[in-house]
Structures are given as structure tokens and as C-alpha cells.
Amino acid sequence: MKKKKTWREKLLDKKDLPKVVELTGKLKDKFGEGTMVIPAPIEVDEIMRFVPFGKLITVNEIREILRIKHNTTTACPLTTGIFVWISANAAEDDRREGKKNITPYWRTLKSGGFLNPKYPGGDENHKVLLEMEGHKVLKKGKKFFVKDYKNSVVDIEEILTKLSL
């Protein structure tokens, strides 16, 4: 039986990525003419690492940075979201191993400022980590979101500069 990959191994597995593909068929219908980057997991993690204490980023801002980095029309929302989740789990594995410099995944929100219930520890853990950095987390129906999250979103240009783009 094949040994299951750790979250860190999944994060470092490039799978021939990043890859730029032409938008055709349903993708073209959804995103229009052009190209889409399918990022490598470690690229998503790198962007997440650049978000400083007290600041936030959404998956859509990560996609915008990837789009600019690869000079494409868009970045794949599905793989970007999956790689954010992998990064979060790898960071928690690192924390459990006693590492101090982990990816601050809790600073990455879903669109609209919503917390990610798929992060390690679910919404409750995500909420605690955000509140420790001074963010106000509220509940809307069954979902949690950061109040006035747009006021705390990191400047994309700052991250592009750190990526030397």
C-alpha cells in the first residue's frame, strides 16, 4: 500500500505546475477570451506568507497576483482554493512540529471576507487566530466573516514588489 503524502509533501509537489492554458469551451464561456494560470501549490503558499500581521488577503486577491505574475487573463479559482487549503494544513503540521515561522494561513479569507471552515480547527480556530490579530469576527447565518475586512486587505502592489514583479 502506498504511503499517504503529508501536507508538506503535497505543498512541495509541483505536478508540472505552474501551467498556462488557453481558455476554451466552458472556461471560455465563464472567463472570456485569453489564458489561465494553474499555479503551483508553493506559489500560493509564498503569497500567503507575505501577508503581514494585522493584514488580510482573499483568495481572489491571490488569484489576481498570480494572474499578474504569469501575465494571464485569470488564475484558476479551483486549484488556488485547494492550494490555500493545503498550505493551511501544512502550516498546522509545522506548528505541531514546533516550527515558529509558519504560513499565516488564517490571514487568507474567502471572497466577501468569510472565514474558511475547511481550515484546521474549522471556523472556531480561524476566528480565534484572527481575533488575536485584532480583527472583529461576526456571524451571518451559519457563516463567519471579518467585519470591515476590506479596510485590512493587504496592498497587492506590496506583495508584487516582494515577489520582485
Side-chain angles (χ1 to χ4, degrees):
M1 190 163 128
K2 193 174 179 183
K3 184 183 164 221
K4 188 176 174 186
K5 283 185 180 181
T6 66
W7 290 109
R8 171 76 31 211
E9 289 169 331
K10 290 177 184 183
L11 185 65
L12 297 174
D13 186 359
K14 290 188 175 187
K15 294 183 174 68
D16 297 324
L17 300 173
K19 181 173 18 180
V20 174
V21 297
E22 196 71 31
L23 292 169
T24 59
K26 289 182 181 178
L27 288 176
K28 186 176 178 183
D29 294 343
K30 184 171 183 170
F31 297 105
E33 297 276 336
T35 55
M36 174 187 285
V37 62
I38 302 167
I42 199 70
E43 283 183 293
V44 173
D45 184 76
E46 179 183 31
I47 293 167
M48 293 168 68
R49 283 181 169 271
F50 283 132
V51 181
F53 182 93
K55 291 291 188 177
L56 301 168
I57 195 166
T58 68
V59 174
N60 285 339
E61 274 100 21
I62 292 173
R63 289 181 53 228
E64 178 64 8
I65 291 165
L66 291 164
R67 182 196 70 76
I68 292 167
K69 178 180 180 182
H70 293 282
N71 194 27
T72 59
T73 310
T74 191
C76 180
L78 181 64
T79 56
T80 303
I82 290 169
F83 296 157
V84 162
W85 175 65
I86 289 172
S87 180
N89 282 284
E92 276 304 315
D93 281 355
D94 287 348
R95 183 196 310 269
R96 280 190 287 278
E97 291 172 11
K99 295 178 183 171
K100 300 290 182 211
N101 186 22
I102 68 166
T103 300
Y105 66 88
W106 56 91
R107 297 176 188 155
T108 301
L109 304 173
K110 295 175 83 170
S111 105
F114 286 95
L115 277 57
N116 193 331
K118 292 184 179 179
Y119 281 169
D123 282 333
E124 285 302 321
N125 186 53
H126 196 180
K127 178 180 184 277
V128 167
L129 292 168
L130 287 167
E131 288 176 341
M132 286 172 50
E133 293 196 11
H135 299 289
K136 178 86 172 150
V137 179
L138 303 173
K139 195 167 186 177
K140 186 178 197 176
K142 292 182 179 182
K143 297 180 178 183
F144 290 90
F145 69 99
V146 175
K147 181 181 181 195
D148 300 323
Y149 79 95
K150 287 183 182 178
N151 297 337
S152 298
V153 170
V154 70
D155 181 8
I156 289 177
E157 292 300 321
E158 259 181 58
I159 293 181
L160 290 169
T161 300
K162 289 177 181 177
L163 290 169
S164 302
L165 298 176

